[in-house]
Amino acid sequence: MKKGQRTKQALLRIAYSLFISRGYENTSVDDIIEEAGIAKGTYYYHFESKEQTLEEVIGMMIDQEAEAARQVLSSGAPVPQKIVGIIASLRPRQEEQPIEGALMRPENALMHAKIKRRLVETVVPLLSEVVEEGIAQGIFSCDNIPERVRMLLVISSEIFDEGQFTQRDVEVFIDITEKLLGAQPGTMDFVRALIH
Amino acid sequence: MKKGQRTKQALLRIAYSLFISRGYENTSVDDIIEEAGIAKGTYYYHFESKEQTLEEVIGMMIDQEAEAARQVLSSGAPVPQKIVGIIASLRPRQEEQPIEGALMRPENALMHAKIKRRLVETVVPLLSEVVEEGIAQGIFSCDNIPERVRMLLVISSEIFDEGQFTQRDVEVFIDITEKLLGAQPGTMDFVRALIH
Amino acid sequence: MKKGQRTKQALLRIAYSLFISRGYENTSVDDIIEEAGIAKGTYYYHFESKEQTLEEVIGMMIDQEAEAARQVLSSGAPVPQKIVGIIASLRPRQEEQPIEGALMRPENALMHAKIKRRLVETVVPLLSEVVEEGIAQGIFSCDNIPERVRMLLVISSEIFDEGQFTQRDVEVFIDITEKLLGAQPGTMDFVRALIH
Amino acid sequence: MKKGQRTKQALLRIAYSLFISRGYENTSVDDIIEEAGIAKGTYYYHFESKEQTLEEVIGMMIDQEAEAARQVLSSGAPVPQKIVGIIASLRPRQEEQPIEGALMRPENALMHAKIKRRLVETVVPLLSEVVEEGIAQGIFSCDNIPERVRMLLVISSEIFDEGQFTQRDVEVFIDITEKLLGAQPGTMDFVRALIH
DNA sequence: GATGAATGAGTATTCATTCAT
DNA sequence: GATGAATGAATACTCATTCAT
């Protein structure tokens, strides 16, 4: 990797971290360059605009999460575990996530909305593939797979993204997932064990 | 209603309409006062700050939608129809909604997130009440009612808010609603007729 | 005159003086507000943009010069004197002209070009009127009056604007003016006396 | 011509074309190097600064126009035709002039002013020579030749540079040229035929 | 109740220039 | 001869908010 590319990667990581912790709108270009220890001109040498920086940051996140999802996909895990594994992989990576649930704060609404949109686009095909696999194995039974998968993503996001969910939320998640995909009751029981 | 109150109501409506059409962040106080034909001072006579204006605008919307939901609640309609009626009532009112799906645009992410949060708080108890009514009538059968109702709202929002849904989306909505509430298959079939 | 108007007039005068002495492009808005002792916001309360400030400054100058020209026009002076008087009136006013010939410096090219264009538009009709008067009195004899008057203005500007003209320049000016307007030789001799 | 010189000539032509079409101030060094397909460093290898580039561009133009004027001068044409031929040669060369009258646009005021100044310096001696020739031949009769020639240039520029002149302008040009140089009426009549 | 002139910290972006490779 | 990453001072403009009248 060349020098310029390293600088840009570093910038992206710094921008990401600031956007998450302060919100995109509350992070100024000055904040980013100060944190990165570079000059204004260097920032604009690498990015067209602040908005384009956001797009690149989001692209980087999506790539990471899609990569993690693809690893789960190609693992030898049972289909239900793959489903849950992919959903679980869709959280910003640990070290870079300053505060749990930061993305859900109102000042991150814009970023969150953009990420969610692109995440759905990216992950629905992957998850659909796993569901097909489950149907082939006789574990699931349903039609309109992409639509159902999208609903599954939305529900998961609602329940787990903020990091504040109850045991009752988990019960509903298990029930709804089984019914959404046409699985036998109990298929998703293993989820309970994953959480505490 | 006194004159001052009328001015304030008008201001709220104008602010609402601008926030929706341009986004909260892209609407300046100058935009609002120009549209309203009042002076800067007058605006700050009525509102503490721009942010508080947003809160009041949202409060106004929530009140309207809750009122609409309550009317459905107290109507004599059958329980499944009430459920759908309440969900359908949760759309910004006609005249004031310049463009279908405007609230879903990225520049409205903040407003949308705030509205969604308060809407869930407000509507979950109402919908839960209807579900209880359905259970008492033997139409529904489920536990963890508020959690399920919240999922129902999230799903509905995802499917219908943008105004861009397919027949397959509707089928999934019907299926998931029946299963989420433990209703007999076919209970929600009437939804199909509502949408063309 | 109201307070706001006074502020704006003062701003215009300050902007004018800075534009002339440093050039439009080399005068920053910060320079203007510092010189005026007002806040950035106050500047933008009065002016849409820096460019519009320039337009207003030019408008103010043109108005002043046109007013001076009109006074000469309505004076009882003989027609040839009126012609020269109007041309002489088209110089920026003394107190406000920091340096003789400042407008001709390269950094003022933009401003100078804009002023010249508008000045020609404004003054050609006035001067044409005087020439018509001269024709009626049998002093001048020519056709295509506006075109000739425009040439007269261009020539005067070239000779006198920089403040660096020779006796030979004056001789050529006298000769060309007489011939351009179809006057008897000697009609413009009085010009020699005006200069030294 | 060596390679480096060729590169520099190409750069000058590109800079010229951009300066003319966008204005000097609105053309960035980035614009130039992008158009030329070279790196920043290469630009600064060839030019000291952007301003010096402008000076060289102007120098190149002046050289071209002076060369064209000199060719007319040494042609065997009759003196009045030489005069007009030289004036006509003072237009930016065809292929490089994107839009007729571009140099007259406000954003080109600086460049135009610089060119005009140097053009007058360069061309007045050449034209004066032709006028002397005309006097020797008894075609013209006047004193203060350089001053008169300068006026002739200014008038020509005013009338023809923008490319928007009327038949009346041409009549005034013919009349004034004859009188300025002390030529017999009709001497310049051939000009009419040159323009349509 | 209402006005509107004044505020000033904040913001993204531009751009000529440098220099190590 | 040529590159391109890095610089940083400069700049125009925004906008929520205040307050004397």
Side-chain angles (χ1 to χ4, degrees), chain C residues 3-23:
Chain C
K3 187 164 170 246
Q5 283 309 301
R6 247 185 296 129
T7 301
K8 181 153 188 184
Q9 282 304 312
L11 272 171
L12 274 176
R13 263 193 295 273
I14 287 163
Y16 167 75
S17 144
L18 288 172
F19 287 167
I20 281 278
S21 59
R22 307 181 183 187

Side-chain angles (χ1 to χ4, degrees), chain C residues 7 39-42 45-46:
Chain C
T7 301
K40 202 62 133 310
T42 310
Y45 180 77
H46 289 292

Side-chain angles (χ1 to χ4, degrees), chain A residues 3-4 23 39-40 46 49 58 64 71 85 90 106 109-110 114 123 125 133 141 147 155 159 169 172-173 188 193 195:
Chain A
K3 188 163 171 245
K40 205 63 137 303
H46 289 291
S49 64
I58 290 174
Q64 284 180 6
Q71 283 186 10
L90 306 179
L110 174 67
K114 290 201 172 209
V123 175
E133 198 184 337
S141 163
E147 286 79 10
I155 288 164
I159 292 180
D169 285 318
V172 171
F173 173 73
M188 289 293 167
I195 303 162

Side-chain angles (χ1 to χ4, degrees), chain A residues 36-48:
Chain A
I38 59 163
K40 205 63 137 303
T42 309
Y43 176 88
Y44 279 97
Y45 179 77
H46 289 291
F47 298 106
E48 249 173 45

Side-chain angles (χ1 to χ4, degrees), chain B:
Chain B
M1 202 185 277
K2 296 225 227 66
K3 184 162 172 255
Q5 284 307 302
R6 247 186 294 127
T7 302
K8 182 152 185 184
Q9 282 303 311
L11 272 172
L12 276 176
R13 264 194 294 274
I14 286 163
Y16 168 73
S17 146
L18 289 172
F19 287 167
I20 280 279
S21 59
R22 307 180 184 187
Y24 169 72
E25 323 257 9
N26 300 327
T27 304
S28 67
V29 172
D30 275 332
D31 291 336
I32 298 171
I33 66 168
E34 193 195 1
E35 186 74 19
I38 60 166
K40 241 343 174 340
T42 311
Y43 175 87
Y44 279 94
Y45 178 80
H46 287 294
F47 299 104
E48 236 174 54
S49 66
K50 191 186 156 194
E51 194 170 353
Q52 190 233 22
T53 306
L54 176 60
E55 299 301 333
E56 292 198 31
V57 160
I58 289 173
M60 185 183 73
M61 287 183 56
I62 299 290
D63 287 351
Q64 284 180 5
E65 302 189 359
E67 175 54 28
R70 259 183 238 104
Q71 283 186 10
V72 176
L73 187 65
S74 62
S75 76
V79 162
Q81 273 82 347
K82 276 188 186 174
I83 299 271
V84 173
I86 288 174
I87 287 171
S89 74
L90 305 180
R91 311 284 148 240
R93 286 297 120 254
Q94 47 279 13
E95 355 82 72
E96 287 147 344
Q97 169 80 327
I99 306 149
E100 179 70 29
L103 203 51
M104 312 307 292
R105 294 202 311 257
E107 68 261 34
N108 273 324
L110 174 68
M111 202 175 165
H112 183 227
K114 291 199 172 212
I115 288 172
K116 200 172 165 187
R117 185 163 301 195
R118 291 204 38 197
L119 207 53
V120 168
E121 282 172 25
T122 310
V123 177
V124 162
L126 297 178
L127 264 184
S128 296
E129 215 176 296
V130 184
V131 172
E132 304 263 23
E133 197 183 340
I135 290 173
Q137 294 178 12
I139 302 175
F140 299 148
S141 164
C142 62
D143 54 1
N144 300 323
I145 299 171
E147 286 78 11
R148 286 175 189 271
V149 159
R150 185 162 149 242
M151 291 305 109
L152 189 56
L153 280 173
V154 167
I155 288 165
S156 308
S157 169
E158 179 70 16
I159 292 180
F160 299 115
D161 276 1
E162 257 180 291
Q164 300 278 19
F165 52 87
T166 65
Q167 187 57 37
R168 291 161 60 107
D169 286 319
V170 176
E171 294 304 324
V172 171
F173 173 76
I174 289 171
D175 183 53
I176 209 170
T177 304
E178 288 173 355
K179 287 176 175 156
L180 197 54
L181 301 178
Q184 288 297 316
T187 308
M188 289 292 168
D189 278 0
F190 70 96
V191 171
R192 256 180 229 110
L194 293 180
I195 304 162
H196 287 248

Side-chain angles (χ1 to χ4, degrees), chain D residues 39-56:
Chain D
K40 230 9 163 332
T42 311
Y43 175 88
Y44 279 95
Y45 177 79
H46 288 292
F47 298 105
E48 235 174 56
S49 67
K50 191 185 156 194
E51 194 170 354
Q52 190 233 22
T53 305
L54 175 60
E55 298 302 331
E56 292 198 31

